[in-house]
């Protein structure tokens, strides 16, 4: 009987050991499959670009429709976005029939959204839920960046596809010293792994001298951003946060709620249209680049 008891105990231990090994193999196989999906870019593979556009604006009413060398600004942005290889589709999301009619006129797909959307992210969220198809990533493309580079769109999409712990990705470039204290130019600081720490309309980091350090690599936020679609669905349900309200920057709500945001650095000479005075500057830049 003792021999039989020992044999039974040994059999149980052997079975348990085999079970652990099998469990480890299954876990390893699952991890390997997940990594292969990441490498093959099948992870978060369905991508749509959304250009949120509203007519009402305290700084520049009707901005999306302002002519830039003969074309509405939103058309120029849409044409640039269509060149991005990562996007399966590009739509305009608006609450204004004047913008919708203009966009349909040059061939864009339009999603009508409510006037209650408080920012571009909420407008993208509403548009996502009205689309007939499902998508894994939504790219929020600023309509006032008619010179946005398709490669930057592709870059932030790839960054989100390769960072499964992030729900949001965006891009930064070098900040020009003359823009250091321009509150329309949003600054960003990131950690050593390329995740956002903070965004501000003020200069960050800010040293004790109160002056721009010519040797410090300050970063300018380019505004374009992409979201994991499941996160974007819950974004409007998150309550506004103190830092978001103080800085009037929607991405701070993401950080204040503990979500991770991947940031890529790009070489880009940012030219947005924030005020009516920027229109002539934009047209001069486009003429210099021989853009018609």
């Amino acid at each position: 009987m003792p021999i039989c008891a020992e044999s039974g105990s040994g059999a149980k231990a052997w079975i348990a050991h085999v079970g652990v090994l099998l469990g480890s193999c299954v876990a390893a196989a699952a991890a390997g499959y997940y990594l292969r999906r990441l490498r093959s870019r099948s992870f978060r593979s369905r991508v749509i670009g959304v250009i949120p556009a509203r007519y009402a604006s305290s700084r520049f009413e009707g901005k999306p429709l302002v002519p830039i060398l003969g074309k509405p600004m939103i058309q120029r942005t849409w044409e640039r976005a269509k060149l991005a290889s990562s996007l399966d589709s590009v739509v305009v999301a608006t609450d204004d029939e004047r913008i919708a009619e203009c966009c349909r006129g040059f061939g864009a797909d339009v999603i009508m959204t409510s006037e209650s959307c408080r920012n571009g992210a909420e407008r993208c969220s509403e548009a996502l839920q009205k689309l007939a198809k499902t998508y894994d990533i939504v790219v929020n493309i600023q309509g006032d960046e008619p010179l946005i580079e398709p490669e930057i769109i592709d870059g932030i999409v790839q960054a989100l596809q390769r960072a499964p712990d992030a729900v949001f990705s965006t891009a930064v470039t070098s900040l020009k010293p003359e823009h250091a204290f321009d509150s329309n130019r949003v600054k960003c600081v990131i950690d050593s792994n390329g995740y956002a720490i903070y965004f501000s309309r003020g200069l960050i980091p800010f040293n004790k001298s109160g002056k721009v350090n010519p040797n410090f690599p300050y970063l300018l936020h380019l505004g374009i951003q992409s979201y994991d679609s499941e996160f974007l669905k819950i974004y409007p349900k998150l309550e506004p946060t103190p830092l978001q309200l103080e800085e009037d920057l929607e991405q701070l709500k993401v950080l204040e709620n503990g979500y991770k945001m991947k940031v890529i650095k790009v070489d880009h000479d940012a030219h947005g249209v924030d005020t009516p005075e920027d229109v002539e500057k934009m047209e001069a830049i486009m003429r210099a680049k021989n853009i018609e």
Side-chain angles (χ1 to χ4, degrees), residues 50-233:
V50 179
I51 305 174
R54 63 192 183 99
Y55 194 88
S57 172
S58 58
R59 289 183 297 177
F60 194 172
E61 188 175 43
K63 182 168 66 170
L65 302 183
V66 66
I68 304 287
L69 293 184
K71 287 184 180 180
M73 180 164 61
I74 196 164
Q75 179 178 353
R76 291 197 175 276
T77 302
W78 177 80
E79 289 174 349
R80 297 290 290 178
K82 292 283 284 184
L83 298 175
S85 61
S86 60
L87 300 182
D88 298 307
S89 181
V90 179
V91 301
V92 174
T94 185
D95 59 4
D96 192 279
E97 191 55 45
R98 288 165 291 188
I99 294 175
E101 183 179 355
C102 172
C103 293
R104 294 187 188 106
F106 59 74
D109 291 325
V110 177
I111 301 292
M112 297 303 296
T113 53
S114 66
E115 295 181 1
S116 63
C117 295
R118 292 169 290 186
N119 51 51
E122 290 192 7
R123 201 170 299 283
C124 286
S125 178
E126 184 178 333
L128 172 67
Q129 297 178 65
K130 289 183 174 181
L131 292 167
K133 296 182 180 179
T134 58
Y135 294 91
D136 305 310
I137 291 177
V138 178
V139 184
N140 179 346
I141 302 167
Q142 300 291 319
D144 57 6
E145 282 273 359
L147 291 181
I148 185 66
E149 296 176 18
E151 294 79 9
I152 294 177
I153 297 174
D154 294 336
I156 66 167
V157 169
Q158 291 168 10
L160 193 55
Q161 289 171 331
R162 294 169 181 170
D165 58 341
V167 298
F168 189 119
S169 66
T170 190
V172 295
T173 192
S174 297
L175 177 71
K176 295 179 180 179
E178 61 266 31
H179 295 152
F181 300 106
D182 183 348
S183 62
N184 288 323
R185 310 281 180 167
V186 177
K187 295 79 175 177
C188 176
V189 286
I190 62 177
D191 68 17
S192 58
N193 294 312
Y195 291 89
I197 297 174
Y198 193 66
F199 296 84
S200 179
R201 294 185 181 278
L203 183 64
I204 52 173
F206 191 77
N207 61 55
K208 61 184 179 181
S209 75
K211 298 178 181 178
V212 176
N213 179 356
N215 298 314
F216 190 86
Y218 299 101
L219 299 174
L220 171 70
H221 183 222
L222 293 180
I224 186 169
Q225 43 214 24
S226 71
Y227 320 93
D228 176 273
S229 62
E230 292 304 311
F231 168 74
L232 187 58
K233 291 175 184 177

Side-chain angles (χ1 to χ4, degrees), residues 31 69 95 210 253 258-259 261-262 264:
L69 293 184
D95 59 4
K253 184 165 74 167
Y259 293 99
M261 186 182 305
K262 190 69 174 176
I264 64 169

